Amino acid sequence: MPDSVTVIDFSTDDLSTWRPINDGVMGGLSDSQIIATGNGTALFTGSVSLERNGGFASIRTDLQCRDLSGYSGLYLRVRGDGHRYRLRLRCDHGFDGVAYQAGFTTQAMQWQAIQLPFENFKPSFRGRPVPSAPPLAVSRICQIGLLIADRQAGTFSLELASVVANKG
């Protein structure tokens, strides 16, 4: 088994499989999209509104379910805007249900290597912790996504290069 395996390469992956899921599902006004930059990266961008009980924007894509059990976590190459984001994983292809998430904070306009150990991914359902949920099934990662929430109103922009599973 190699020391790392690419899960998402934003320079070659089909961005049309990504879909936004924003607080409009519950009446909010936030919006988001993912677009190719033309520089081999993608941009998760939009606006978070707290109006009408809103407050989150997200994108996600289905994967061929991946067995990442030989790896210790995910390594992201991102350039952010100073906001805090969450990487979200799901062990099925469903629209709703438990997601496992780990947060990270970006530094404005700086490329960063973010290491997220699988043990840091905590179960949640619609933004609330689910302490009774089983641990993340690393042997079956079927969806991956990004979320911005936590009352961070205003515009946001997160440039994405890759997501890699690694042993270190």
Side-chain angles (χ1 to χ4, degrees):
M1 174 180 291
D3 287 343
S4 65
V5 63
T6 300
V7 177
I8 304 282
D9 180 347
F10 289 97
S11 69
T12 59
D13 280 17
D14 180 6
L15 297 182
S16 71
T17 66
W18 289 79
R19 62 187 183 271
I21 300 169
N22 304 312
D23 57 21
V25 297
M26 48 188 253
L29 301 174
S30 300
D31 66 81
S32 69
Q33 63 181 338
I34 186 167
I35 56 173
T37 64
N39 296 321
T41 61
L43 203 58
F44 171 42
T45 185
S47 175
V48 174
S49 171
L50 304 180
E51 292 182 44
R52 296 180 23 192
N53 294 319
F56 75 89
S58 72
I59 53 169
R60 71 168 101 153
T61 190
D62 286 323
L63 302 171
Q64 296 283 339
C65 292
R66 304 284 298 266
D67 181 355
L68 301 177
S69 57
Y71 299 96
S72 61
L74 296 174
Y75 169 88
L76 288 68
R77 286 278 304 144
V78 300
R79 180 165 56 179
D81 53 8
H83 286 109
R84 182 164 175 78
Y85 295 87
R86 297 182 211 165
L87 185 69
R88 295 170 47 91
L89 304 173
R90 292 177 50 103
C91 301
D92 58 39
H93 290 291
F95 177 80
D96 209 4
V98 173
Y100 294 81
Q101 58 188 13
F104 60 96
T105 301
T106 62
Q107 296 175 11
M109 300 309 300
Q110 291 186 28
W111 280 104
Q112 293 173 266
I114 307 287
Q115 182 68 40
L116 298 172
F118 287 128
E119 63 198 29
N120 288 7
F121 285 82
K122 304 300 180 204
S124 70
F125 178 71
R126 297 184 182 167
R128 293 184 175 82
V130 183
S132 62
L136 173 65
V138 179
S139 62
R140 185 170 168 77
I141 305 298
C142 300
Q143 283 186 31
I144 190 167
L146 290 155
L147 170 97
I148 182 169
D150 305 318
R151 304 197 60 77
Q152 298 178 92
T155 60
F156 66 89
S157 179
L158 180 65
E159 191 171 358
L160 309 156
S162 60
V163 178
V164 174
N166 64 10
K167 291 184 178 182

